[in-house]
């Protein structure tokens, strides 16, 4: 597993078919939009669903080109990407993730069409994000039948007034029902719960109640993602300062969550993610490990590493590109045989190192001790980093809350030669 | 005599500082304050010291027949005058019209010139005019000596007055006389100069010449029926004005055969020619190629070129009494050809210099520090270059515990300070931190000695201090009567004592206050402007010193005194200053990884305290495929932001915090 981290030399990716490869499929439809949400999702375009899925299938089936990208094609710069950028699926996917939006709005038939287009390796992880009020046992069974192995429920809260404050349509009972349905469909121990803390009016006790209720679900989740409510520009929430979360309150809630999850056997493995050992989301880990993935659908991002991790100045270690933002545009591009890529970038080695540092720092793997040169004596970092086996440094709970500041300080320190 | 004046146009929003001319420059610069609506400073470039050298692109005229022979102009047919006007009252337009009418510039050239000046104007937000221009009118030779229309540069009016016999007082017929114009007119009267009062813009629908002619009669004693009424825009009345100038303004007096006495009334540095001085010949004849003695410095220099501006530069062989022209003598430093200097011939020197006048002395001081310590040498070079053209700037090295190495700089006023700082940043690509502006105090110590205090850090310890005195101003405010109450309130809050209150007309009145300079330098202009919707105008002049109960207040960040925030304030205002500064800093200083106490202290006593609580959360909740690029860019941006932070007592202080904190509003 390549785990390039810190300002040290870039780790060469392992060669061969067994290197993880992920496929992300974006489903840009929702029944309603939550007012804190800035994702690429629409409430009025579900009529495009059939054409959209067909377009995604077409994109997946495109002849793989440029995987792995050759150093020669890397001419630097941002959009439009040069011809010869990677496309298609170069090798069987070790993970597939249907995100959104609300992927569970898709009937199993469409989901099945998408999945059958993706070459998948044995034992691959296939996750679908679900809203609790859009699923029932029959739907989830049909998901399992087409190859879905993991569910992720957008529960957000288990306190009614907090759910209302977040503008969520479902109620607490819907979450419990969804979990029962998941269990009946065979997803016991293979589902995750998404939570949000920091909504207007949510007390620390409300948050504790949410966590307790989630841990008391039957069967209990093996994986939880808990996100601090974030004010995104351009959302209705951004316009209403009175509902903006207080960072100190969110810090308290984070520490509480970390403590309660740990007590229930879910250990943190990324800043906002906790899991029972072995239940970590393999697909999401690709993002934090600078792995390779193809994003399918509108607004999806892809990432490819270069064949030769050359340390030649100006030559990138990897490329990233992303598709056009709206579903109608995406469908149009595919149907007319044009590229769906909106823009992309070639990362310089320095950029790649910075990404490696900040991404790896977010995880339980931490960063190599060499990244800490010059900061060992920084009193400001006291208590924010702890050493871990293999001469690595890992954020403490308090440090995780200050990950951006820590990354900045580590990055600003002189790189060891 | 030096005076500063601030003009407050009724424009809705004039940026805190408005473009003004920096310096002694023959090319004179009148800020179009009323036109400056863009936020932020529209700093004039100074091409001669900076990187932009465009405006020196026109070399001095080099004709084949360079020193063409000509007779010295008959003294009795010379008229030397200054045009004194409030900004936007139409001085530039009048100058253009006169140049056109007298044939100094033909219509085609006029258009070109106009466009040319518009170009520069657009770029700089200022108006540029030849300072002294020679025109001919019906057998008379007229020298128009322009004066700057603003602010800290009011002292230049006295320079111009020294070189002329009369003044054209130009007043907007829709607005009436403004404080600075009035002050300049009084100054002209004091020097026995003939005043030709003119109401301009009579073509405007809002013009009310009868009313403002009456006002001029009341305040200046010029009979209302003698006040000319013109429109520089349409040209109406301009020819009559020229006739009146020739008729009323007396000719200069002087002896052509006497030893040379020439008065330098302005100098600027030209990168190709060195110092170019404006000179008025009082006695004798200035001949090209002779060796001159500068009577103040005692140095001698050979004349390289003399000439007149008509308005193009024309080299001449000699200049006789009463004439105004330019002089180039291979001088490299404007400090050696300062205004008020008398030039005479080295061979037959005059026995006495002319009555000069003192160059203005700095009234406002502040520390300038490079944000990056490495830029100290660059800052020193930049200041040196600025001073080449603006001898009124003073600077000396200073060390600050918080800010490192920098310079204590003196300026003519707050506007001058802002302009210089802005120019240093723009033209020399420096990032600077300016400390709170301060005035000069005089402290008497218990041992009987007296020290000058330009900087809070020089303030003697209380036990060593006998008394301390501060400079005062006489401030004159002209205002629509409806704002009297709010202005009296403002002046009283600033420790002002009313000297006089007088109605100019039922609608307008003059308020005169004696007020500490320190109370004016910070934000008095802004307050005056905001309280009167821009309709009040202000002029001030020094009014001596007086003892006051002043204390030094320190601001401590994480227990480290930040000398940049220290201030000398009146005891009655000290707590308030401490409270405001600590509160403001609490808002401006971003949360750090630890609690940061912010304290205000007088002596060792803490009088105010705020705390910036340690930040606990600085992390993005989500980081998946679509977030990674954004997150990396955010981090790169934050890293750049960190570079622009100053580390004080382990506290990272953004540059913006210094600027904002030192901008104390009401």
């Amino acid at each position: 597993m390549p785990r390039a981290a810190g300002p040290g030399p870039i780790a060469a990716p392992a060669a061969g078919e067994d290197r993880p490869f992920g496929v992300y499929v974006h489903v840009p439809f929702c029944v309603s939009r939550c007012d804190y949400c800035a994702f690429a999702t629409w409430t009025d375009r579900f009529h495009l669903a059939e054409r959209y899925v067909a377009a995604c299938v077409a994109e997946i089936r495109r002849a793989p080109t440029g995987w792995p990208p050759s150093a020669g094609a890397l001419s630097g710069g941002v959009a439009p990407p040069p011809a010869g950028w990677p496309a298609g699926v170069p090798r069987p996917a070790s993970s597939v993730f249907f995100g959104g939006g609300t992927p569970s709005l898709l009937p199993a038939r469409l989901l099945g069409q998408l999945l059958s287009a993706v070459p998948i390796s044995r034992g691959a992880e296939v996750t679908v994000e679900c809203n609790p009020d859009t699923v029932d046992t029959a739907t989830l069974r049909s998901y399992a039948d087409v190859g879905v192995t993991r569910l992720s429920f957008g529960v957000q809260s288990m306190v009614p007034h907090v759910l209302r404050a977040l503008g969520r349509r479902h109620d607490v009972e819907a979450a419990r029902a969804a979990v029962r349905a998941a269990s009946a469909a065979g997803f016991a121990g293979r589902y995750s719960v998404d939570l949000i803390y920091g909504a207007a009016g949510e007390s620390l006790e409300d948050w504790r109640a949410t966590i307790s209720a989630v841990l008391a679900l039957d069967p209990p989740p093996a994986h939880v993602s808990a996100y601090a409510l974030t004010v995104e520009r351009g959302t209705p929430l951004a316009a209403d300062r009175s509902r903006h979360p207080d960072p100190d309150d969110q810090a308290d809630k984070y520490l509480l969550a970390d403590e309660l999850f740990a007590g229930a056997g879910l250990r943190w493995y990324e800043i906002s993610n906790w899991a029972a050992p072995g239940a970590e989301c393999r697909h999401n880990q690709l993002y934090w490990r600078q792995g390779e993935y193809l994003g399918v659908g509108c607004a999806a991002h892809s990432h490819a590493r270069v064949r030769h991790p050359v340390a030649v100045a100006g030559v990138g270690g990897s490329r990233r590109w992303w598709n056009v933002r709206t579903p109608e545009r995406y469908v149009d591009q595919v149907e007319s045989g044009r590229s769906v890529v909106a823009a992309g970038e070639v990362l310089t080695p320095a950029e790649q190192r910075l990404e490696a540092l900040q991404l790896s720092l977010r995880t339980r793997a931490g960063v190599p001790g060499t990244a800490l040169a010059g900061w060992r004596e920084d009193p400001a970092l006291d208590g924010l980093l702890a050493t871990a086996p293999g001469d690595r440094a890992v954020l403490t709970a308090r440090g995780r809350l200050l990950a951006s500041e820590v990354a900045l300080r580590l990055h600003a320190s002189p790189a060891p030669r | 005599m030096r005076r500063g004046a601030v003009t407050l146009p009724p424009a809705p929003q004039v940026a805190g500082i408005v473009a003004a001319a920096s310096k002694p420059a023959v090319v004179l610069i009148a800020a179009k304050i009323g036109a400056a609506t863009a936020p932020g400073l529209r700093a004039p470039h100074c091409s001669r010291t900076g990187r932009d050298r465009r405006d020196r692109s026109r070399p001095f005229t080099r004709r084949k027949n360079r020193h063409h022979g000509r007779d010295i102009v008959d003294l009795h047919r010379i008229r030397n005058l200054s045009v004194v006007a409030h900004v936007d009252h139409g001085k530039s337009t009048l100058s253009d019209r006169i140049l056109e009418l007298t044939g100094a510039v033909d219509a085609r050239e006029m258009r070109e010139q106009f466009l040319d000046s518009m170009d520069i104007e657009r770029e700089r937000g200022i108006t540029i005019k030849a300072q002294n221009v020679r025109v001919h009118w019906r057998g008379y030779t007229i020298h128009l000596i322009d004066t700057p229309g603003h602010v800290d540069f009011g002292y230049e009016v006295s320079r111009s007055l020294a070189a002329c016999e009369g003044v054209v007082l130009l007043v907007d017929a829709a607005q009436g006389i403004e404080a600075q114009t009035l002050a300049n007119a009084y100054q002209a009267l004091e020097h026995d100069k003939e005043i030709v009062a003119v109401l301009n813009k009579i073509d405007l629908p809002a013009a009310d010449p009868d009313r403002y002619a009456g006002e001029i009669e009341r305040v200046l004693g010029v009979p209302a029926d003698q006040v000319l009424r013109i429109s520089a825009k349409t040209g109406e009345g301009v020819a009559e004005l020229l006739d009146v100038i020739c008729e009323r303004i007396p000719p200069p007096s002087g002896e052509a055969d006497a030893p040379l006495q020439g008065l330098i009334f302005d100098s600027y540095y030209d990168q190709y020619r060195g110092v170019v001085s404006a000179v008025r010949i009082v006695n004798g004849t200035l001949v090209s190629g002779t060796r001159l003695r500068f009577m103040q410095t005692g140095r001698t220099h050979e004349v390289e070129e003399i000439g007149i501006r008509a308005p193009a530069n024309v080299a001449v062989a000699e200049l006789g009494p009463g004439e105004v022209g330019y002089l180039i003598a291979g001088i490299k430093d404007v400090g050696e050809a300062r205004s008020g200097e008398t030039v005479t011939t080295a061979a037959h020197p005059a026995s006495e210099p002319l009555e000069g006048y003192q160059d203005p002395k700095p009234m406002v001081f502040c520390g300038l520090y490079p944000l990056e310590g490495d830029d100290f040498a660059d800052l020193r070079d930049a200041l040196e270059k600025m001073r080449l053209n603006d001898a009124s700037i003073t600077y000396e090295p200073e060390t600050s515990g918080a800010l490192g190495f920098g310079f204590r700089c003196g300026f003519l006023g707050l506007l001058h300070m802002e302009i210089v700082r802005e120019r240093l940043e723009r033209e020399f690509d420096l990032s600077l931190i300016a400390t709170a502006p301060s005035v000069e105090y005089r402290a008497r110590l218990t041992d009987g000695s007296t020290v000058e205090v330009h900087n809070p850090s020089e303030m003697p310890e209380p036990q060593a201090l006998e008394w301390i005195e501060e400079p005062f101003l006489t401030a004159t405010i002209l205002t629509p009567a409806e704002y009297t109450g709010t202005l009296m309130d403002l002046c009283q809050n600033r420790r002002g004592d009313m000297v006089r209150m007088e109605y100019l007309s039922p609608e307008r009145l003059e308020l005169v206050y004696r007020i500490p300079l320190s109370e004016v330098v910070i934000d008095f202009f802004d307050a005056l402007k905001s309280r009167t919707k821009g309709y009040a105008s202000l002029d001030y002049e020094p009014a001596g010193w007086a003892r006051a109960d002043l204390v030094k207040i320190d601001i401590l960040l994480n227990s480290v005194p930040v000398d940049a925030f220290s201030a000398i304030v009146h005891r009655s205002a000290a707590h308030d200053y401490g409270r405001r500064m600590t509160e403001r800093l609490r808002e401006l200083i971003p949360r750090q990884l630890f609690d940061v106490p912010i304290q205000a202290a007088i002596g060792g006593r803490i009088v105010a305290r705020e705390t910036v609580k340690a930040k606990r959360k600085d992390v993005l909740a989500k980081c998946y495929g679509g977030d990674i690029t954004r997150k990396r860019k955010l981090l790169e941006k934050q890293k750049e932001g960190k570079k622009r932070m100053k580390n004080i007592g382990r506290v990272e202080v953004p540059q913006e915090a210094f600027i904002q904190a030192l901008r104390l509003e009401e």
Side-chain angles (χ1 to χ4, degrees):
Chain A
M1 174 67 49
R3 189 177 292 165
I10 300 163
E17 289 291 295
D18 56 339
R19 248 192 316 150
F21 184 85
V23 172
Y24 172 82
V25 183
H26 189 66
V27 182
F29 311 113
C30 278
V31 173
S32 68
R33 182 183 270 274
C34 305
D35 75 355
Y36 53 83
C37 170
F39 288 121
T41 185
W42 286 265
T43 57
D44 57 352
R45 306 197 187 168
F46 196 69
H47 58 277
L48 288 172
E50 296 271 352
R51 280 172 68 200
Y52 183 79
V53 168
C56 289
V57 167
E59 189 190 352
I60 295 165
R61 288 201 170 134
R62 269 188 190 170
T65 59
W67 288 94
S70 67
L74 297 174
S75 52
V78 182
W85 277 57
V89 180
R91 58 182 184 271
S94 50
S95 63
V96 182
F97 197 105
F98 292 90
T102 310
S104 54
L105 285 178
L106 289 185
R109 178 178 57 85
L110 293 180
L111 207 64
Q113 285 177 15
L114 285 164
L115 260 181
S116 59
V118 182
I120 288 176
S121 63
R122 180 193 286 271
E125 172 195 274
V126 180
T127 306
V128 178
E129 283 184 342
C130 306
N131 260 7
D133 59 351
T134 60
V135 295
D136 52 35
T137 307
T139 311
L140 295 182
R141 275 203 179 116
S142 56
Y143 281 8
D145 291 343
V146 297
V148 174
T149 66
R150 187 173 175 274
L151 302 174
S152 173
F153 288 114
V155 169
Q156 318 311 0
S157 173
M158 294 293 275
V159 174
H161 76 87
V162 176
L163 278 174
R164 280 195 301 275
L166 286 168
R168 301 295 293 193
R169 293 162 56 91
H170 69 267
D171 57 20
V172 171
E173 189 38 48
R176 294 200 176 99
V179 167
R180 280 195 301 271
S183 178
F187 291 100
R190 290 191 286 130
Y191 79 92
S192 174
V193 166
D194 276 7
L195 299 174
I196 294 180
Y197 55 93
E202 183 191 57
S203 67
L204 192 62
E205 288 316 303
D206 288 334
W207 177 235
R208 186 192 297 275
T210 286
I211 295 169
S212 303
V214 163
L215 294 175
L217 285 170
D218 184 25
H223 187 287
V224 180
S225 303
Y227 302 110
L229 177 64
T230 303
V231 180
E232 301 287 354
R233 258 202 295 183
T235 59
L237 176 63
D240 184 358
R241 292 196 140 268
S242 71
R243 291 190 292 133
H244 286 194
D246 171 51
D248 292 343
D249 171 64
Q250 287 185 314
D252 289 338
K253 287 173 177 165
Y254 182 84
L255 295 177
L256 177 64
D258 191 53
E259 181 193 321
L260 295 178
F261 291 146
L266 305 178
R267 57 174 204 183
W268 81 279
Y269 71 102
E270 193 265 353
I271 280 168
S272 301
N273 288 279
W274 290 261
E280 295 88 358
C281 177
R282 276 145 57 188
H283 183 82
N284 285 344
Q285 283 178 298
L286 278 179
Y287 299 129
W288 308 319
R289 290 170 175 171
Q290 296 188 302
E292 292 188 315
Y293 44 89
L294 175 73
V296 176
C298 62
H301 287 236
S302 305
H303 179 249
R305 302 195 54 122
V306 203
R307 189 204 312 259
H308 308 292
V310 264
V312 177
V315 175
S318 67
R319 311 164 171 191
R320 185 173 292 112
W321 66 99
W322 46 94
N323 293 349
V324 295
R325 186 166 167 87
T326 65
E328 59 272 26
R329 180 95 200 284
Y330 177 81
V331 168
D332 258 13
Q333 293 293 103
V334 173
E335 287 178 356
S336 59
R338 292 190 297 263
S339 167
V340 293
V341 178
E345 61 178 351
V346 175
L347 296 178
T348 65
E351 287 168 335
Q352 208 194 13
R353 276 199 302 273
L354 175 56
E355 272 191 12
L357 176 71
Q358 69 181 152
L359 292 172
S360 198
L361 191 63
R362 291 179 70 90
T363 69
R364 192 176 189 83
V367 295
T370 51
L372 302 181
W375 281 105
R376 294 241 186 243
E377 307 87 32
D378 182 2
L381 292 181
D382 257 5
L384 303 184
L385 282 164
T387 37
D391 188 32
R392 296 186 78 84
V394 179
L395 290 171
T396 62
R398 205 158 65 78
R400 277 178 258 152
L401 280 165
L402 293 163
S404 294
E405 173 77 27
V406 175
L408 200 56
R409 283 173 179 260
L410 294 181
H411 181 55
S413 71
R417 292 278 150 205
Chain B
M1 163 113 196
R2 76 189 119 112
R3 61 181 349 128
V6 165
T7 45
L8 303 168
Q13 258 305 319
V14 174
I17 312 294
V18 201
S22 46
K23 81 63 20 286
V26 170
V27 179
L28 224 255
I29 301 171
K32 285 226 153 181
I33 292 189
T37 51
L41 183 67
R42 303 170 66 183
H45 286 249
C46 178
S47 50
R48 293 172 291 282
T49 57
R51 290 172 180 169
D52 175 343
R53 300 194 158 107
R54 250 161 301 184
D55 71 338
R56 283 296 102 198
S57 57
R58 285 190 197 167
F60 289 86
T61 307
R62 307 288 198 118
R63 296 185 178 173
K64 276 181 190 165
N65 177 18
R66 190 171 150 212
H67 297 160
H68 52 105
R70 66 185 249 296
D71 293 325
I72 286 177
V73 183
D74 175 10
L75 201 63
H76 302 289
R77 308 292 277 181
I78 295 178
R79 296 295 181 268
N80 294 326
L81 64 106
S82 294
V83 182
V84 170
H86 187 74
V87 202
D88 258 9
H89 280 200
K91 188 164 57 170
S92 308
T93 314
L94 178 60
S95 304
D96 286 352
R97 207 55 63 235
I98 290 175
L99 290 176
E100 206 177 64
L101 202 60
T102 58
V105 178
D106 69 28
R108 185 186 52 82
E109 275 182 297
M110 189 69 233
R111 219 170 26 249
E112 276 175 8
Q113 265 220 338
F114 179 73
L115 289 174
D116 196 12
S117 79
M118 283 306 287
D119 251 11
I120 297 168
E121 193 174 322
R122 222 173 284 122
E123 186 185 326
R124 303 183 177 188
I126 50 176
T127 306
I128 298 174
K129 276 292 153 194
Q131 190 192 15
N132 59 75
V133 175
R134 173 180 296 202
V135 297
H136 297 282
W137 180 249
R138 297 183 179 160
Y140 288 88
T141 295
I142 300 175
H143 293 120
L144 291 172
I145 296 164
D146 208 352
T147 58
H150 46 45
V151 213
D152 299 337
F153 310 106
Y155 69 92
E156 294 200 3
V157 172
S158 58
R159 297 179 174 184
S160 305
L161 287 178
C164 66
E165 282 72 44
V167 164
V168 168
L169 185 69
L170 193 66
V171 176
D172 188 322
Q175 290 184 30
I177 196 162
E178 302 290 357
Q180 189 197 5
T181 320
L182 185 60
N184 291 339
Y186 284 147
Q187 205 182 337
L189 285 175
E190 278 168 34
H191 289 80
D192 286 331
K193 307 295 179 190
E194 182 66 30
I195 291 185
V196 176
V198 181
L199 285 168
N200 187 23
K201 305 194 190 180
I202 55 169
D203 57 306
L204 289 184
D208 192 353
D210 290 340
R211 174 176 159 196
Y212 292 115
E215 203 173 275
I216 289 172
E217 177 170 331
R218 267 192 298 283
V219 299
L220 286 173
V222 176
D225 58 0
Q226 281 189 26
V227 177
L228 299 183
R229 300 172 181 206
I230 69 164
S231 167
K233 192 172 144 196
T234 65
E236 182 183 352
V238 177
E240 291 78 357
L241 168 61
L242 287 168
D243 288 340
V244 170
I245 285 168
C246 297
E247 184 187 313
R248 282 203 222 148
I249 293 179
S253 56
E255 291 292 328
D257 301 326
L260 176 67
Q261 285 177 307
L263 177 71
I264 289 179
F265 61 93
D266 203 354
S267 290
Y268 72 88
Y269 182 80
D270 177 277
Q271 63 165 335
Y272 302 113
R273 304 303 307 273
V275 173
V276 180
S277 300
V279 63
R280 153 76 192 263
I281 309 302
V282 176
N283 282 306
T285 304
L286 175 56
V287 181
S288 189
T290 48
R291 195 149 192 89
L292 294 183
R293 175 175 296 280
F294 285 61
M295 296 182 80
Q296 272 179 23
T297 63
R299 299 200 178 197
T300 62
H301 302 277
E302 187 160 328
V303 178
E304 285 182 5
E305 183 176 320
I306 53 176
I308 55 169
R309 295 169 185 272
N313 297 314
V314 180
V316 298
E318 48 187 46
L319 289 170
E323 287 196 85
V324 172
Y326 67 84
L327 161 67
I328 298 169
I331 300 168
K332 295 293 172 215
D333 176 0
V334 284
E336 292 194 17
R338 303 187 77 154
S339 300
E341 173 71 273
T342 300
V343 292
T344 187
T345 53
H348 302 286
S351 52
E352 294 287 325
L354 297 164
E355 190 186 339
Y357 44 87
Q358 286 192 326
D359 253 348
K361 284 195 182 127
M363 296 173 87
V364 177
F365 299 84
C366 81
L368 287 182
Y369 291 85
L371 190 65
E372 303 283 342
D374 299 348
D375 289 345
F376 175 79
D378 291 343
L379 175 58
R380 188 188 51 217
D381 293 348
L383 281 167
E384 246 168 47
K385 285 191 178 128
M386 292 283 278
R387 220 186 111 80
L388 269 185
N389 241 321
D390 186 350
S392 61
I393 302 173
T394 63
Y395 61 95
E396 52 188 64
E398 157 179 282
T399 309
S400 155
L403 304 176
F405 294 105
F407 292 94
R408 194 74 195 166
C409 302
F411 306 96
L412 300 173
L414 207 62
L415 176 70
H416 188 212
M417 175 182 122
E418 292 281 351
I419 287 167
V420 171
R421 196 192 76 189
E422 180 76 13
R423 285 181 50 193
L424 286 169
E425 295 202 321
R426 280 201 195 185
E427 296 170 21
F428 298 93
D429 202 19
L430 295 165
S431 284
L432 299 177
I433 291 173
T435 64
S438 154
V439 302
E440 176 184 73
Y441 297 95
R442 287 181 189 160
R444 170 65 65 87
L445 306 185
T446 44
D447 65 7
S449 63
T450 303
V451 293
E452 287 182 352
V453 179
H454 300 94
N455 180 338
S457 70
E458 295 168 359
M459 180 85 163
E461 292 303 312
Q463 56 273 19
L465 191 64
E466 190 80 32
W467 43 255
I468 185 160
E469 53 181 20
E470 64 176 331
F472 273 69
L473 299 174
T474 298
T476 302
I477 301 167
L478 297 195
T479 177
E482 61 197 284
Y483 302 118
T484 314
T486 182
L487 289 180
M488 287 171 63
D489 186 48
L490 172 67
C491 292
Q492 265 152 30
N493 288 344
R494 303 302 178 91
R495 297 191 284 133
D497 284 328
M498 188 189 282
V499 177
R500 193 169 78 232
M501 180 164 95
E502 216 170 285
Y503 278 87
L504 304 180
S505 67
E507 299 85 26
R508 291 222 301 165
L509 92 177
E510 177 190 53
L511 284 170
V512 180
Y513 272 84
R514 182 175 156 82
I515 191 167
L517 172 63
S518 63
E519 298 284 347
V520 174
V521 294
I522 304 293
D523 62 345
F524 190 78
F525 310 146
D526 292 342
L528 191 81
K529 189 172 65 188
S530 72
R531 284 176 180 229
T532 65
K533 301 196 174 84
Y535 280 104
S537 60
L538 172 78
D539 185 73
Y540 57 78
E541 56 186 298
W545 298 73
R547 290 187 204 178
D549 188 8
L550 300 167
V551 294
K552 180 188 172 201
I553 184 156
D554 290 313
I555 304 293
L556 293 80
L557 209 56
N558 202 24
S559 304
V560 176
V562 185
D563 37 20
F565 295 137
S566 293
I568 296 171
V569 293
H570 195 260
R571 190 180 298 278
S572 66
H575 279 73
D576 190 48
Y577 178 91
R579 190 179 47 75
R580 281 195 299 172
M581 192 57 105
T582 50
E583 279 175 5
R584 182 165 293 212
L585 286 171
R586 181 172 55 86
E587 288 164 15
L588 292 170
I589 292 175
R591 294 171 72 175
Q592 317 272 318
L593 290 176
F594 47 89
D595 281 358
V596 178
I598 304 168
Q599 296 158 304
I602 301 172
R605 199 164 53 87
I606 304 296
V607 297
R609 183 194 159 109
E610 296 282 343
T611 304
V612 178
K613 299 294 285 176
K615 85 171 155 186
R616 296 181 55 208
K617 179 174 171 288
D618 180 6
V619 59
L620 294 187
K622 292 196 176 192
C623 196
Y624 298 104
D627 308 308
I628 296 173
T629 298
R630 195 163 59 112
K631 183 162 162 48
R632 188 192 72 239
K633 289 190 169 149
L634 186 68
L635 200 70
E636 281 166 350
K637 212 171 114 192
Q638 285 176 324
K639 191 185 166 193
E640 284 309 301
K642 260 207 195 303
K643 279 191 191 159
R644 289 186 67 79
M645 300 254 193
K646 201 90 193 177
N647 259 292
I648 295 169
R650 286 178 55 223
V651 181
E652 289 171 341
V653 185
Q655 186 191 24
E656 196 53 24
F658 284 95
I659 295 164
Q660 290 297 330
L662 295 171
R663 189 174 290 155
L664 289 177
E665 274 121 37
E666 281 206 319

